[in-house]
Amino acid sequence: MSTTDHSELPLPDYDHLSAGELEHRIRSLSHEELERLLGYERDHANRAHVTALLTARLHQLEEGSPQSPGSRVPPSGPKGEPKGSPVSPATSPEPYNPPPHGTPDQPAKPVGNRFR
């Protein structure tokens, strides 16, 4: 069992990173730092996709893959304008529920004699 504490992790916001963010952030970590994260992950959340991601990166480093430069700290500052959806009650169309008996331009047609 690993004795790694959250404060000793190389990525301070590790618990809040998605797998996609984590994939890019671990490229700058050393072999020892990755092992520390892997031990922490196995002791706490033990998410299969994250453990596989960390293990794969460890194997890449063992095979000679270089560490990528980058920041271990999340970017700060504004992230831009929120995009959101342009749909609102003001821009939504009126609901349309056609009557079951047809419309004036498409009247209902009798099915025929049902009592035969």
Side-chain angles (χ1 to χ4, degrees):
M1 180 181 266
S2 174
T3 59
T4 302
D5 185 30
H6 184 270
S7 62
E8 298 172 357
L9 294 177
L11 299 174
D13 58 341
Y14 174 77
D15 290 329
H16 303 288
L17 294 175
S18 68
E21 293 171 319
L22 189 60
E23 183 176 3
H24 298 290
R25 298 275 300 278
I26 63 173
R27 298 255 175 236
S28 65
L29 301 179
S30 69
H31 193 275
E32 294 78 25
E33 291 169 325
L34 283 168
E35 285 179 345
R36 198 176 321 142
L37 277 180
L38 186 58
Y40 180 83
E41 180 65 33
R42 286 181 176 152
D43 288 347
H44 293 85
N46 203 17
R47 299 169 287 183
H49 58 286
V50 174
T51 355
L53 182 69
L54 294 170
T55 306
R57 182 60 184 154
L58 278 169
H59 288 298
Q60 289 173 356
L61 287 176
E62 289 168 359
E63 293 175 357
S65 178
Q67 282 180 249
S68 300
S71 175
R72 297 177 192 176
V73 181
S76 61
K79 294 186 178 186
E81 295 295 320
K83 301 296 181 212
S85 174
V87 177
S88 70
T91 61
S92 296
E94 291 294 321
Y96 176 72
N97 297 318
H101 58 276
T103 60
D105 58 334
Q106 293 181 336
K109 296 185 171 118
V111 177
N113 190 354
R114 296 186 184 195
F115 299 107
R116 278 193 192 178

